[in-house]
């Protein structure tokens, strides 16, 4: 890999700018504070070298001595004893300051270099123009079949415009406890909506939609950009918002797996595939580069030789890649981290909302918070397309199960058994007697919900649910991601009733304390967080995810 070091200074190695964070045990690129480069101090002129004397402006090399070794005020003369220590200190501090400034400049230039690596696409409003670290977010990961890397022309159609060959909707929950990666089959027959696209002259052209075509035509065909693929997914999901996209081609698989030092996979049987050129024995193997690309491209060695079986293998591969990227061998190696940063920024095309290295770093750090055991891979429920006849080549969505999945994703519901067990413990708080709505005393605050939410919730509770002993007390001044309900031990029945009315899960209930309302009576405290979507809409969405085939990122199973 070409190193960008000479772009920032002849003597500064970019690896030297990575600093180990004592709190996380990982290396981070931290630019120093901006500062002017200090002047390195040189030797002082002799004390007695005044105007008109030899050596004016510089030392003569022969310091003058006083007869009694004392100055005019009875102090000792600085002489040689002072000059040696002082000069060492001055030279050392000056050199150190120079290194600090040079390091800050080098770090800045390297970050600028990584920024320049990233390709962005203006999606004409299809994606968000910013990234929030305290909200749930969804990223559409698009793998194209475009062949532009060395040797990639040997994989299928060398003239492909770059269709949406592999598509994964990655949703990360607001509390970062779980994530869902939903694969969308490329051969799904669907409708592609009208798609505004930005042109080179900054004008906008609307590409007409197409009905009843393969999903992979949402990109490349007729000049469609990734924003068209995002809009197609949002239509499939019943209006669910997709915040961002990341797109990579064949070459990205090769370079990323090499940057992390290979990915560990496992095969239930040996594979020697003439079409993809994959040649691996049964059992565990470490793959990178061309082998890694062949692994994710292979179709005829798995299951029924179809794209749905290949998707399952790709999910195993992505789980292994995620584990490797979170491993100590990657996170504690400055060189490997630099290789990964360099490779990833060159490999990706993203929307403008995340088109800076600092923002991509934030996305990665938020995803890193999710334990691998709570990252679920699943595939959009589909059925064979009867129009294909006996040879099935395309599929149709199953509206019922697919709708349940999208609803669960929008509600931040985890698909993992670990999270379901935790939720069962939390929901135990909801079991027990409940008060009548008219007996519930509650103070409402807005703590991160959209403006006007507390007043809207108050009106809904009073007029439609009979919670008449309720008061709206404005904004808390703080922002919290989740809605919470605090109550004292004697108010548990009131809290259960209000939680049921609001659609709150057990983890929203915070036993411990209450406050006094404006009548001097004890009241439970409802703080509406950023997850509040509107009066009458259950805050926590569906309680249980649908039962669908899935695997998690921590599973190590052999592909078959």
């Amino acid at each position: 890999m070409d190193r960008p070091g000479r772009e920032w200074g002849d003597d500064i190695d970019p690896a030297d700018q990575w600093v180990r964070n004592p709190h996380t045990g990982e290396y981070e690129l931290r630019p120093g504070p901006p500062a002017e480069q200090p002047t390195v101090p040189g030797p002082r002129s002799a004390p007695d070298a005044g105007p008109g004397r030899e050596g004016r402006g510089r030392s003569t090399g022969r310091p003058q001595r006083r007869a009694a070794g004392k100055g005019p005020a009875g102090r000792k003369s600085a002489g040689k004893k002072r000059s040696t220590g002082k000069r060492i200190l001055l030279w050392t501090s000056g050199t150190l300051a120079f290194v600090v400034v040079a390091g800050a400049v080098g770090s800045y230039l390297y970050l600028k270099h990584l920024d320049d690596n990233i390709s962005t696409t203006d999606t004409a409003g299809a994606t968000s123009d910013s990234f929030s670290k305290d909200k749930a977010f969804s990223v559409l990961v698009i793998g194209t079949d475009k062949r532009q890397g060395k040797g990639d022309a040997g994989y299928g159609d060398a003239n492909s415009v770059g269709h949406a060959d592999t598509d994964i909707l990655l949703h990360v929950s607001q509390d970062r406890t779980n994530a869902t990666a939903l694969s969308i089959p490329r051969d799904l027959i669907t409708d592609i909506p009208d798609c505004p696209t930005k042109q080179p002259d900054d004008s906008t052209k609307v590409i007409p939609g197409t009905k009843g075509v393969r999903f992979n035509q949402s990109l490349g065909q007729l000049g469609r950009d990734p924003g068209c693929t995002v809009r197609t997914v949002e239509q499939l999901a019943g209006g669910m918002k997709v915040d961002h996209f990341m797109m990579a081609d064949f070459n990205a698989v090769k370079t990323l797996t090499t940057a992390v030092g290979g990915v560990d996979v496992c095969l239930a049987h040996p594979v020697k595939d003439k079409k993809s050129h994959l040649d691996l024995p049964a059992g565990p193997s470490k793959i990178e580069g061309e082998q890694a690309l062949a692994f994710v491209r292979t179709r005829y060695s798995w299951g029924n030789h179809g794209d749905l079986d290949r998707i399952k293998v790709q999910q195993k591969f992505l789980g292994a890649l995620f584990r490797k990227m979170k491993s100590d061998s990657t996170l504690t190696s400055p060189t490997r981290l630099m290789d990964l940063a360099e490779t990833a920024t060159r490999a990706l095309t993203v929307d403008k909302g995340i088109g800076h290295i600092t923002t991509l770093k934030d996305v990665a750090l938020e995803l890193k918070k999710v334990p691998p055991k709570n990252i679920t891979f699943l595939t959009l429920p589909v059925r064979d397309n009867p129009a294909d006849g006996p040879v099935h080549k395309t599929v149709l969505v199953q509206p019922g199960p697919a709708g349940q999945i999208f609803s669960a994703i929008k509600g931040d519901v985890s698909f993992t058994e670990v999270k379901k067990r935790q939720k069962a413990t939390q929901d135990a708080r909801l079991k027990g007697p409940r008060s009548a709505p008219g007996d519930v005393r509650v103070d409402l605050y807005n703590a991160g919900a959209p403006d006007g939410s507390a007043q809207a919730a108050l009106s809904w509770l009073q007029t439609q649910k009979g919670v008449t002993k309720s008061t709206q007390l404005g904004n808390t001044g703080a922002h919290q991601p989740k809605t919470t309900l605090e109550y004292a031990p004697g108010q548990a029945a009131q809290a259960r009733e209000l939680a049921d009315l609001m659609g709150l899960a057990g983890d929203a209930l915070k036993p411990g304390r209450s406050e006094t309302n404006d009548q001097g009576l004890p009241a439970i405290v409802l703080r509406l967080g950023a997850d509040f979507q509107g009066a009458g809409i259950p805050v926590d969405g569906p309680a249980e995810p649908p039962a669908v085939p899935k695997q998690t990122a921590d599973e190590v199973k052999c592909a078959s």
Side-chain angles (χ1 to χ4, degrees):
M1 182 189 76
D2 294 334
R3 294 273 188 186
R6 293 298 176 217
E7 296 179 18
W8 5 308
D10 290 340
D11 298 320
I12 300 172
D13 187 339
D16 293 336
Q17 310 311 316
W18 290 87
V19 181
R20 187 177 178 88
N21 186 328
H23 301 294
T24 64
E26 300 168 12
Y27 283 84
E28 299 174 359
L29 184 64
R30 292 182 176 175
E36 294 182 1
Q37 182 171 324
T39 302
V40 180
R44 294 178 183 266
S45 60
D48 293 335
R53 298 194 179 188
E54 185 177 348
R56 176 180 174 181
R58 66 179 188 270
S59 172
T60 63
R62 299 173 120 186
Q64 303 290 322
R65 296 180 181 270
R66 299 193 184 270
K70 300 251 185 194
R75 293 171 301 182
K76 286 188 177 182
S77 173
K80 289 186 177 179
K81 291 183 179 179
R82 184 181 73 170
S83 63
T84 303
K86 288 284 188 180
R87 288 176 184 177
I88 291 175
L89 177 62
L90 288 169
W91 277 104
T92 302
S93 59
T95 304
L96 177 62
F98 176 80
V99 171
V100 169
V101 172
V105 172
S107 297
Y108 167 77
L109 292 176
Y110 185 53
L111 291 174
K112 179 68 167 60
H113 165 78
L114 293 178
D115 251 358
D116 292 341
N117 280 353
I118 302 169
S119 299
T120 60
T121 294
D122 188 334
T123 59
T127 54
S128 174
D129 58 1
S130 62
F131 174 74
S132 175
K133 293 192 284 186
D134 58 1
K135 294 182 180 179
F137 64 93
S138 296
V139 178
L140 182 62
V141 181
I142 306 171
T144 78
D145 57 2
K146 192 171 184 177
R147 284 84 172 159
Q148 62 182 24
K150 182 179 179 181
D152 291 345
Y155 295 95
D157 180 13
N159 299 314
S160 173
V161 295
H163 294 109
D165 192 60
T166 300
D167 306 276
I168 299 174
L169 177 62
L170 174 65
H171 177 81
V172 180
S173 69
Q174 186 167 5
D175 61 8
R176 307 300 188 249
T177 61
N178 69 92
T180 302
L182 177 68
S183 294
I184 302 173
R186 66 175 190 180
D187 295 327
L188 173 70
I189 298 298
T190 189
D191 297 337
I192 300 174
D194 293 344
C195 179
T197 59
K198 280 288 186 180
Q199 303 300 301
D201 61 358
D202 208 34
S203 64
T204 300
K205 175 184 177 181
V206 177
I207 300 176
T210 312
K211 292 185 177 296
V213 295
R214 278 180 165 88
F215 178 88
N216 69 345
Q217 293 185 25
S218 63
L219 178 68
Q221 203 78 6
L222 304 178
R224 294 185 175 111
D225 66 10
C228 300
T229 310
V230 168
R231 289 183 168 92
T232 304
V233 171
E234 291 179 337
Q235 181 175 272
L236 270 173
M240 173 185 169
K241 177 64 178 174
V242 176
D243 301 300
H244 303 286
F245 83 85
M246 295 182 182
M247 182 172 68
D249 61 14
F250 280 177
N251 199 48
V253 177
K254 298 191 296 186
T255 56
L256 283 173
T257 53
T258 300
V260 297
V263 174
D264 296 313
V265 297
C266 181
L267 301 184
H269 56 78
V271 170
K272 192 167 186 176
D273 192 305
K274 294 181 179 179
K275 292 182 178 291
S276 70
H277 314 298
L278 180 65
D279 188 356
L280 290 176
S285 295
K286 178 173 287 189
I287 58 174
E288 62 179 86
E290 292 288 348
Q291 274 192 324
L293 178 58
F295 187 85
V296 298
R297 290 289 300 162
T298 295
R299 179 175 61 180
Y300 296 99
S301 297
W302 320 123
N304 296 320
H305 300 179
D307 191 52
L308 295 181
D309 290 307
R310 175 167 59 179
I311 285 174
K312 296 176 184 177
V313 175
Q314 289 174 345
Q315 291 171 347
K316 294 181 188 298
F317 171 82
L318 289 173
L321 178 60
F322 184 77
R323 291 193 299 273
K324 185 58 179 285
M325 292 176 71
K326 289 192 68 170
S327 69
D328 289 342
S329 63
T330 299
L331 296 177
T332 60
S333 168
T335 301
R336 188 160 287 173
L337 282 173
M338 285 195 62
D339 286 347
L340 188 56
E342 186 77 21
T343 301
T345 51
R346 288 184 183 277
L348 293 175
T349 298
V350 300
D351 61 275
K352 289 195 170 182
I354 54 175
H356 295 284
I357 184 61
T358 52
T359 313
L360 285 176
K361 178 207 70 174
D362 288 341
V363 174
L365 289 177
E366 293 306 302
L367 179 58
K368 179 179 175 291
K369 294 177 182 178
V370 184
K373 64 184 178 183
N374 288 336
I375 299 177
T376 307
F377 292 95
L378 61 159
T379 305
L380 186 71
V382 294
R383 58 185 177 87
D384 290 334
N385 185 3
D388 288 343
V391 180
H392 298 294
K393 295 182 178 179
T394 59
V395 293
L396 302 175
V397 70
Q398 296 187 51
Q404 288 180 310
I405 287 176
F406 285 122
S407 179
I409 290 175
K410 284 188 283 187
D412 268 6
V413 176
S414 174
F415 286 79
T416 69
E417 294 297 324
V418 173
K419 288 297 296 178
K420 285 168 69 177
R421 287 195 297 270
Q422 293 175 351
K423 187 175 184 304
T425 301
Q426 294 162 350
D427 286 348
R429 299 175 187 168
L430 300 174
K431 296 179 180 178
R434 297 179 182 174
S435 300
D439 293 332
V440 176
R441 294 189 184 93
V442 56
D443 288 343
L444 287 84
Y445 294 90
N446 189 325
D451 291 343
S453 293
Q455 184 59 48
L458 178 72
S459 299
W460 177 75
L461 286 170
Q462 290 181 339
T463 60
Q464 297 190 38
K465 296 300 178 181
V467 184
T468 55
K469 299 175 182 177
S470 48
T471 307
Q472 192 270 112
L473 298 178
N475 296 326
T476 63
H479 185 281
Q480 61 186 53
K482 300 280 287 184
T483 296
T484 58
L485 180 58
E486 295 183 76
Y487 61 98
Q491 299 169 312
Q494 295 182 48
R496 294 187 194 104
E497 176 63 18
L498 187 60
D500 182 61
L501 295 174
M502 297 291 297
L504 290 169
D507 62 348
L509 275 65
K510 308 295 181 184
R513 70 181 190 89
S514 63
E515 66 182 25
T516 302
N517 67 11
D518 53 5
Q519 284 84 40
L521 299 172
I524 59 180
V525 182
L526 178 66
R527 291 183 174 86
L528 302 177
D531 58 347
F532 182 78
Q533 301 178 51
I537 301 175
V539 176
D540 285 289
E544 292 292 333
V548 291
K550 57 186 178 292
Q551 55 185 314
T552 56
D554 67 325
E555 293 182 23
V556 182
K557 293 183 178 179
C558 294
S560 59

